[in-house]
């Protein structure tokens, strides 16, 4: 067994035994060293975004004092859902190693597959749920940000 996946499995098991959420644990590894780990806390924190990968990313960023995880890899017990995949990409994580597939996630009661199927839905098709308002005011805010000298773009 891969040593990093073993840590991810142990992290997931810790979470399910504590009643924190599903069997999803993750570790972030850079240069052969674990820089972050986490597990699903959806239930214990009443936070639908606190999946194992998100928890591990937050932990790694805190530990290295950076929002950029370039050069790091993630080991996770379940194939990342679209939200986690997006977070992994935003964090600049290099590779994703996962244990169980999206279909296997679904087979134990999770609904990741339906979200992947809906990724092809454009915002135009969701016009009743995604509504643009106060465009000019927000454009002004973006302009203010663009003019800052000490901004961070990512």
């Amino acid at each position: 067994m891969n040593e990093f996946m073993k840590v991810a499995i142990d992290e997931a098991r810790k979470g399910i035994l504590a009643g924190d959420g599903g069997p999803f644990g993750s570790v972030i590894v850079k240069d052969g060293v674990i820089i972050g780990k986490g597990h699903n806390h959806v239930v214990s924190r009443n936070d639908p975004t606190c999946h194992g990968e998100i928890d591990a990313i937050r932990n790694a960023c805190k530990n290295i004092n950076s929002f950029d995880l370039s050069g790091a890899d993630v080991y996770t017990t379940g194939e990342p859902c679209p939200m986690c995949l997006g977070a992994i990409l935003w964090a600049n994580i290099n590779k994703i190693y996962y244990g169980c597939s999206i279909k296997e996630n679904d087979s134990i009661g999770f609904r990741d597959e339906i979200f992947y199927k809906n990724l092809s839905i454009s915002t135009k098709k969701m016009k009743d749920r995604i509504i643009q308002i106060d465009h000019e005011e927000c454009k002004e805010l973006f302009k203010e940000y663009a003019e800052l000298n000490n901004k961070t773009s990512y």
Side-chain angles (χ1 to χ4, degrees):
M1 175 185 296
N2 177 282
E3 66 179 297
F4 300 124
M5 186 59 82
K6 181 182 181 330
V7 175
I9 291 168
D10 290 345
E11 186 68 23
R13 189 168 282 120
K14 178 174 106 179
I16 60 175
L17 292 175
D20 290 336
F24 305 105
S26 299
V27 295
I28 311 289
V29 177
K30 187 170 182 178
D31 300 323
V33 175
I34 294 174
I35 60 171
K37 59 185 178 176
H39 63 265
N40 185 295
H41 284 277
V42 169
V43 174
S44 64
R45 295 183 183 166
N46 291 316
D47 181 354
T49 69
C50 199
H51 292 191
E53 297 92 337
I54 302 292
D55 195 38
I57 289 168
R58 290 172 180 162
N59 182 249
C61 290
K62 180 181 172 189
N63 288 340
I64 68 166
N65 197 32
S66 176
F67 57 82
D68 185 0
L69 299 178
S70 292
D73 298 327
V74 61
Y75 293 78
T76 185
T77 58
E79 185 176 358
C81 72
M83 177 186 68
C84 291
L85 183 58
I88 288 165
L89 295 173
W90 274 110
N92 288 319
I93 290 173
N94 187 37
K95 289 190 179 165
I96 302 166
Y97 298 96
Y98 68 91
C100 292
S101 69
I102 291 295
K103 279 200 177 303
E104 290 167 311
N105 295 351
D106 282 11
S107 75
I108 60 169
F110 294 88
R111 52 196 175 136
D112 300 0
E113 192 168 25
I114 193 167
F115 291 109
Y116 271 109
K117 287 179 183 175
N118 287 328
L119 282 178
S120 62
I121 295 174
S122 74
T123 57
K124 289 184 191 327
K125 289 183 181 176
M126 295 184 69
K127 64 183 176 207
D128 60 327
R129 294 182 68 187
I130 301 175
I131 303 157
Q132 185 177 29
I133 63 170
D134 299 323
H135 181 230
E136 291 304 316
E137 292 83 351
C138 292
K139 272 180 39 179
E140 183 60 35
L141 174 68
F142 278 33
K143 181 181 175 212
E144 290 172 30
Y145 180 79
E147 293 170 355
L148 288 175
N149 290 328
N150 63 343
K151 67 179 177 257
T152 301
S153 294
Y154 199 64

